[in-house]
mmCIF file of all heavy atoms in Angstrom:
data_model
loop_
_atom_site.group_PDB
_atom_site.id
_atom_site.type_symbol
_atom_site.label_atom_id
_atom_site.label_comp_id
_atom_site.label_asym_id
_atom_site.label_seq_id
_atom_site.Cartn_x
_atom_site.Cartn_y
_atom_site.Cartn_z
ATOM 1 N N GLU A 26 -11.195 5.643 8.037
ATOM 2 C CA GLU A 26 -9.852 5.588 8.635
ATOM 3 C C GLU A 26 -8.878 4.907 7.674
ATOM 4 O O GLU A 26 -9.196 3.877 7.081
ATOM 5 C CB GLU A 26 -9.907 4.834 9.957
ATOM 6 C CG GLU A 26 -8.670 5.003 10.798
ATOM 7 C CD GLU A 26 -8.382 6.464 11.155
ATOM 8 O OE1 GLU A 26 -9.327 7.235 11.419
ATOM 9 O OE2 GLU A 26 -7.194 6.822 11.159
ATOM 10 N N GLN A 27 -7.705 5.493 7.532
ATOM 11 C CA GLN A 27 -6.682 5.005 6.611
ATOM 12 C C GLN A 27 -5.337 4.977 7.321
ATOM 13 O O GLN A 27 -4.935 5.975 7.898
ATOM 14 C CB GLN A 27 -6.567 5.951 5.408
ATOM 15 C CG GLN A 27 -7.812 6.111 4.590
ATOM 16 C CD GLN A 27 -8.053 4.936 3.674
ATOM 17 O OE1 GLN A 27 -7.101 4.312 3.190
ATOM 18 N NE2 GLN A 27 -9.314 4.592 3.455
ATOM 19 N N PRO A 28 -4.638 3.857 7.245
ATOM 20 C CA PRO A 28 -3.284 3.844 7.800
ATOM 21 C C PRO A 28 -2.307 4.508 6.838
ATOM 22 O O PRO A 28 -2.580 4.619 5.642
ATOM 23 C CB PRO A 28 -2.983 2.344 7.916
ATOM 24 C CG PRO A 28 -3.776 1.732 6.805
ATOM 25 C CD PRO A 28 -5.044 2.567 6.699
ATOM 26 N N GLY A 29 -1.194 4.953 7.343
ATOM 27 C CA GLY A 29 -0.106 5.402 6.487
ATOM 28 C C GLY A 29 -0.327 6.709 5.768
ATOM 29 O O GLY A 29 0.194 6.900 4.668
ATOM 30 N N ILE A 30 -1.074 7.621 6.359
ATOM 31 C CA ILE A 30 -1.213 8.971 5.789
ATOM 32 C C ILE A 30 -0.786 9.969 6.857
ATOM 33 O O ILE A 30 -1.404 10.039 7.917
ATOM 34 C CB ILE A 30 -2.650 9.270 5.337
ATOM 35 C CG1 ILE A 30 -3.115 8.251 4.296
ATOM 36 C CG2 ILE A 30 -2.729 10.688 4.761
ATOM 37 C CD1 ILE A 30 -4.556 8.453 3.844
ATOM 38 N N ALA A 31 0.250 10.713 6.558
ATOM 39 C CA ALA A 31 0.770 11.708 7.502
ATOM 40 C C ALA A 31 0.538 13.111 6.948
ATOM 41 O O ALA A 31 0.373 13.295 5.742
ATOM 42 C CB ALA A 31 2.262 11.483 7.721
ATOM 43 N N ALA A 32 0.538 14.091 7.821
ATOM 44 C CA ALA A 32 0.386 15.486 7.420
ATOM 45 C C ALA A 32 1.494 16.306 8.066
ATOM 46 O O ALA A 32 1.784 16.142 9.253
ATOM 47 C CB ALA A 32 -0.983 16.015 7.837
ATOM 48 N N VAL A 33 2.108 17.160 7.275
ATOM 49 C CA VAL A 33 3.156 18.049 7.777
ATOM 50 C C VAL A 33 2.792 19.473 7.401
ATOM 51 O O VAL A 33 2.604 19.794 6.228
ATOM 52 C CB VAL A 33 4.541 17.687 7.195
ATOM 53 C CG1 VAL A 33 5.593 18.680 7.677
ATOM 54 C CG2 VAL A 33 4.921 16.263 7.550
ATOM 55 N N ARG A 34 2.704 20.321 8.396
ATOM 56 C CA ARG A 34 2.363 21.722 8.220
ATOM 57 C C ARG A 34 3.631 22.529 7.973
ATOM 58 O O ARG A 34 4.642 22.338 8.653
ATOM 59 C CB ARG A 34 1.699 22.215 9.507
ATOM 60 C CG ARG A 34 1.427 23.676 9.581
ATOM 61 C CD ARG A 34 1.072 24.077 11.025
ATOM 62 N NE ARG A 34 0.632 25.437 11.094
ATOM 63 C CZ ARG A 34 1.443 26.482 11.134
ATOM 64 N NH1 ARG A 34 2.729 26.314 11.128
ATOM 65 N NH2 ARG A 34 0.946 27.706 11.193
ATOM 66 N N ILE A 35 3.550 23.470 7.017
ATOM 67 C CA ILE A 35 4.666 24.389 6.775
ATOM 68 C C ILE A 35 4.211 25.790 7.155
ATOM 69 O O ILE A 35 3.285 26.339 6.548
ATOM 70 C CB ILE A 35 5.105 24.358 5.290
ATOM 71 C CG1 ILE A 35 5.454 22.935 4.833
ATOM 72 C CG2 ILE A 35 6.275 25.319 5.068
ATOM 73 C CD1 ILE A 35 6.612 22.305 5.556
ATOM 74 N N GLY A 36 4.844 26.342 8.176
ATOM 75 C CA GLY A 36 4.534 27.692 8.622
ATOM 76 C C GLY A 36 5.570 28.685 8.140
ATOM 77 O O GLY A 36 6.661 28.308 7.698
ATOM 78 N N THR A 37 5.227 29.951 8.230
ATOM 79 C CA THR A 37 6.122 30.989 7.705
ATOM 80 C C THR A 37 7.434 31.096 8.470
ATOM 81 O O THR A 37 8.453 31.456 7.892
ATOM 82 C CB THR A 37 5.420 32.358 7.725
ATOM 83 O OG1 THR A 37 4.952 32.620 9.046
ATOM 84 C CG2 THR A 37 4.268 32.386 6.755
ATOM 85 N N ASP A 38 7.423 30.792 9.749
ATOM 86 C CA ASP A 38 8.638 30.942 10.552
ATOM 87 C C ASP A 38 9.321 29.625 10.868
ATOM 88 O O ASP A 38 10.210 29.574 11.723
ATOM 89 C CB ASP A 38 8.301 31.663 11.864
ATOM 90 C CG ASP A 38 7.804 33.079 11.615
ATOM 91 O OD1 ASP A 38 8.248 33.697 10.612
ATOM 92 O OD2 ASP A 38 6.974 33.554 12.396
#
Side-chain angles (χ1 to χ4, degrees):
E26 194 59 38
Q27 300 282 328
I30 302 178
V33 177
R34 173 193 188 278
I35 305 297
T37 55
D38 296 329

